[in-house]
């Protein structure tokens, strides 16, 4: 993500999203009541002739601004949309006050105007700029002749695949089996080349195919083998990918990875709850009481809850008192566990009950 213009006194920042992660971040930066402006395309009825055109009109591209009423980010399509009433635009094309949806697209600038840019949101932009080019890890889950990819991104896991080979079983006599295996592995390798700045590769699966693929990399592509590890799982496919995440391997390989950190934090929280020592608080009222008492060491807030103004004040208060604040994505299992606890929780310096 790039900032092309910033004037927080006027409440304006222009951003250019460059990755899917950037769109995810922006979906939490834009809030109800913000003014979002971008180039957009609308189909306009052509009335320049003697009579109305009988077709659907012509497409016009122009700059338009809306006061945001809702924001939606669809993980699987990668589409981010902001919907609201038009407050700025060519009135001969679009009537002010009518509704419009702006789709925020990769590599297209967007202007966001707020009454107040909180410290939390400005920090989020800074962090996303620093991390936007990193793909912390790729989990390859191989079972027999099928390989699934789990791309570990900031918002959670993005799935890619499956890649399917044409490999006969070991008990079937096939003189081409060795060649077919190499072709299958080469297709997996070619898929890896589509992703830049891979930090780590975890090759997993229930059988021996994963080891064979690692040997293939070691013999032919040693640079990739150097950033790869092999890990056994009970299942292949997406189930195997989730098994790797639960083991905490991504966290061990890359401590900066957002998803692994968040899952580890949630696990620590759940462990403390199970111990019943009073060193945790969860739910809005209980957690805010702990914050006001200065007892919070680590505050965990679900991303969907951050837009509540009171929680932004609470987050800033924790940071001012030397505590740590982590915003947890709702797109992975850890986030769903936090949501079941009320969307906000804290590890405490000392019990307050």
């Amino acid at each position: 993500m790039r900032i092309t213009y910033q004037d927080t006194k006027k409440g304006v920042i222009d951003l250019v999203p460059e990755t899917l992660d950037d769109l995810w971040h922006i979906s939490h930066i834009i809030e109800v009541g913000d003014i979002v402006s971008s180039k957009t395309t609308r189909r306009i009825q052509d009335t320049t002739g003697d009579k109305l055109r009988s077709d659907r009109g012509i497409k016009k591209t122009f700059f338009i601004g809306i006061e945001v009423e809702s924001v939606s980010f669809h993980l699987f399509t990668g589409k981010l949309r902001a919907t609201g009433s038009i407050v700025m635009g060519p009135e001969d094309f679009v009537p002010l006050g009518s509704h419009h949806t702006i789709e925020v697209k990769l590599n297209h600038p967007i202007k966001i105007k707020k009454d107040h840019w909180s410290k939390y949101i400005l920090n989020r932009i800074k962090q996303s700029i620093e991390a936007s080019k990193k793909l912390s890890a790729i989990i390859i889950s191989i079972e027999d002749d099928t390989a699934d990819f789990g791309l570990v991104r900031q918002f959670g896991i993005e799935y890619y695949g499956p890649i399917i080979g044409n490999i006969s079983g070991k008990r079937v006599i096939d003189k081409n089996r060795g060649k077919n295996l190499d072709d299958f592995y080469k297709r997996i390798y070619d898929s890896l080349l589509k992703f830049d700045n891979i930090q780590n590769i975890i090759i997993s699966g229930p059988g021996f195919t994963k080891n064979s693929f690692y040997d293939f990399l070691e013999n032919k592509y040693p640079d990739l083998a150097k950033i790869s590890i092999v890990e056994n799982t009970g299942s292949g496919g997406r189930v195997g990918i989730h098994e790797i995440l639960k083991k905490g391997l991504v966290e061990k390989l890359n401590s900066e990875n957002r998803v692994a950190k968040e899952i580890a934090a949630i696990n620590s929280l759940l462990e403390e709850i199970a111990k019943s020592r009073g060193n945790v608080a969860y739910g809005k009222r209980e957690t805010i009481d702990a914050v006001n008492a200065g007892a919070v060491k680590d505050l965990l807030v679900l991303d969907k809850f951050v837009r509540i103004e009171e929680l932004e004040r609470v987050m800033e208060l924790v940071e001012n008192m030397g505590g740590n604040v982590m915003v947890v994505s709702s797109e992975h299992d850890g986030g769903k566990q936090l949501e079941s606890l009320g969307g906000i929780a804290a590890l405490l310096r000392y019990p307050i009950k």
Side-chain angles (χ1 to χ4, degrees):
M1 182 145 63
R2 290 183 290 118
I3 296 177
T4 56
Y5 176 80
Q6 180 172 347
D7 189 337
T8 49
K9 289 184 179 179
K10 293 181 179 179
V12 175
I13 294 181
D14 291 3
L15 300 172
V16 179
E18 297 177 311
T19 69
L20 190 61
D21 279 344
D22 294 341
L23 293 180
W24 179 74
H25 279 293
I26 292 174
S27 74
H28 295 289
I29 290 169
I30 298 174
E31 300 171 291
V32 173
D34 290 350
I35 305 298
V36 171
S37 309
S38 179
K39 280 186 178 180
T40 192
T41 299
R42 258 195 166 195
R43 191 175 293 276
I44 307 297
Q45 191 70 44
D46 186 2
T47 59
T48 57
D50 294 335
K51 58 181 179 179
L52 291 176
R53 288 170 57 101
S54 60
D55 61 12
R56 297 173 57 208
I58 57 175
K59 286 185 176 181
K60 294 278 189 179
T61 299
F62 45 84
F63 204 75
I64 197 171
I66 64 170
E67 182 174 344
V68 176
E69 296 174 4
S70 64
V71 181
S72 64
F73 175 64
H74 299 280
L75 173 62
F76 296 107
T77 62
K79 289 186 177 180
L80 169 60
R81 294 186 174 100
T83 300
S85 55
I86 297 172
V87 296
M88 179 180 62
E91 293 187 51
D92 51 338
F93 289 151
V94 289
L96 298 183
S98 62
H99 273 72
H100 182 75
T101 296
I102 290 177
E103 183 174 335
V104 184
K105 298 181 179 180
L106 295 180
N107 301 309
H108 286 70
I110 180 172
K111 183 188 296 290
I112 305 172
K113 186 176 186 299
K114 292 178 177 289
D115 292 333
H116 170 68
W117 286 86
S118 69
K119 180 181 176 182
Y120 154 72
I121 290 180
L122 292 174
N123 283 340
R124 184 161 200 158
I125 293 174
K126 181 180 178 182
Q127 291 168 5
S128 65
I129 289 172
E130 292 172 350
S132 63
K133 295 300 183 182
K134 293 182 180 179
L135 181 60
S136 298
I138 291 183
I139 302 170
I140 305 175
S141 181
I142 306 178
E143 185 172 17
D144 299 328
D145 61 350
T146 303
D148 286 271
F149 282 25
L151 313 179
V152 184
R153 298 193 179 278
Q154 296 173 61
F155 62 79
I157 300 298
E158 179 182 352
Y159 294 102
Y160 177 90
I163 299 166
I164 300 174
N166 182 25
I167 304 166
S168 59
K170 289 184 178 179
R171 296 182 180 180
V172 178
I173 299 175
D174 183 356
K175 63 180 180 180
N176 295 319
R177 189 174 190 278
K179 180 181 181 302
N180 290 339
L181 264 176
D182 277 357
D183 290 344
F184 175 47
Y185 295 158
K186 181 63 165 54
R187 288 178 61 200
I188 298 174
Y189 166 76
D190 289 340
S191 295
L192 286 171
L193 295 185
K194 296 177 181 179
F195 307 104
D196 296 326
N197 299 314
I198 304 171
Q199 307 299 304
N200 300 286
I201 300 171
I202 302 172
I203 305 169
S204 64
F208 296 102
T209 311
K210 63 183 182 298
N211 306 83
S212 179
F213 176 66
Y214 178 81
D215 293 340
F216 170 85
L217 289 182
E218 200 170 38
N219 291 332
K220 297 191 175 183
Y221 308 102
D223 288 342
L224 279 185
K226 288 178 182 177
I227 60 170
S228 301
I229 65 166
V230 178
E231 183 69 21
N232 188 59
T233 57
S235 302
R238 295 188 179 187
V239 175
I241 291 171
H242 281 289
E243 191 175 334
I244 291 295
L245 289 172
K246 288 180 180 178
K247 287 183 177 182
L249 283 176
V250 177
E251 182 193 23
K252 294 176 184 177
L253 292 172
N254 187 351
S255 61
E256 292 181 359
N257 176 260
R258 176 182 294 272
V259 176
K261 280 185 175 181
E262 291 174 9
I263 290 176
I266 296 298
N267 287 340
S268 296
L269 177 74
L270 296 175
E271 287 172 6
E272 288 299 319
I273 291 175
K275 292 175 183 176
S276 301
R277 293 179 179 175
N279 289 329
V280 296
Y282 54 89
K284 184 177 178 182
R285 178 178 295 179
E286 185 177 315
T287 305
I288 290 177
D289 287 346
V291 171
N292 290 332
V296 172
K297 179 177 65 175
D298 298 304
L299 179 68
L300 307 178
V301 183
L302 194 68
D303 54 10
K304 295 191 293 187
F305 285 68
V306 171
R307 291 196 175 103
I308 303 173
E309 184 176 347
E310 186 179 3
L311 291 190
E312 288 193 3
R313 180 193 66 80
V314 168
M315 292 160 66
E316 290 189 15
L317 184 57
V318 170
E319 290 182 336
N320 292 337
M321 291 182 176
N324 301 310
V325 176
M326 175 179 286
V327 177
V328 178
S329 169
S330 55
E331 299 292 347
H332 56 67
D333 290 342
K336 291 176 175 59
Q337 289 173 309
L338 180 59
E339 187 168 13
S340 70
L341 295 172
I344 180 170
L347 293 170
L348 308 181
R349 297 185 175 97
Y350 49 83
I352 59 172
K353 295 180 180 179

